Amino acid sequence: MWVYSLAGVMAASVLILALMAFWRAGRGDELMTEPEELEVRRLLLEYGEDDSLGYFATRRDKAVIAAPDRRAVVTCRAVGPVSMASADPIGHRDSWRAAVSA
């Protein structure tokens, strides 16, 4: 009888540990830094007048990927194997392709 109880406790412990590892995975590694946030806000101010979703790019739980010339950025968030961009690239339209490629 005690064997079944022990097996139940062990199974519940493994399940709880697996759920904790799942929820913790992928967080905190690629969050927006203060200089990146200022860069995103500057680009939004200069180029974001037509982007109604641009404000969502300023959330700090996003990663910032910039074009090599730093004239455009893409903000995204990775959850598991999926990465989703917040809005269109932000910045000069000629640099959008480079930001998406980066």
Side-chain angles (χ1 to χ4, degrees):
M1 190 71 157
W2 64 271
V3 174
Y4 296 117
S5 298
L6 180 62
V9 168
M10 289 178 62
S13 300
V14 168
L15 179 63
I16 290 171
L17 290 173
L19 287 173
M20 287 173 54
F22 175 72
W23 279 318
R24 188 173 171 197
R27 292 190 183 183
D29 294 341
E30 297 180 355
L31 299 181
M32 187 181 302
T33 63
E34 287 183 27
E36 289 174 333
E37 181 182 1
L38 290 175
E39 180 178 17
V40 169
R41 289 182 183 274
R42 179 187 59 80
L43 289 170
L44 266 176
L45 183 64
E46 291 178 22
Y47 300 102
E49 64 273 354
D50 294 331
D51 189 359
S52 62
L53 297 177
Y55 176 76
F56 293 106
T58 63
R59 289 182 43 149
R60 290 186 179 165
D61 62 344
K62 309 274 185 234
V64 177
I65 302 168
D69 62 3
R70 308 296 290 185
R71 293 183 354 169
V73 297
V74 174
T75 59
C76 60
R77 181 170 179 200
V79 178
V82 178
S83 179
M84 179 170 288
S86 301
D88 287 340
I90 300 166
H92 196 276
R93 284 193 181 263
D94 293 341
S95 296
W96 279 21
R97 185 177 298 264
V100 171
S101 296

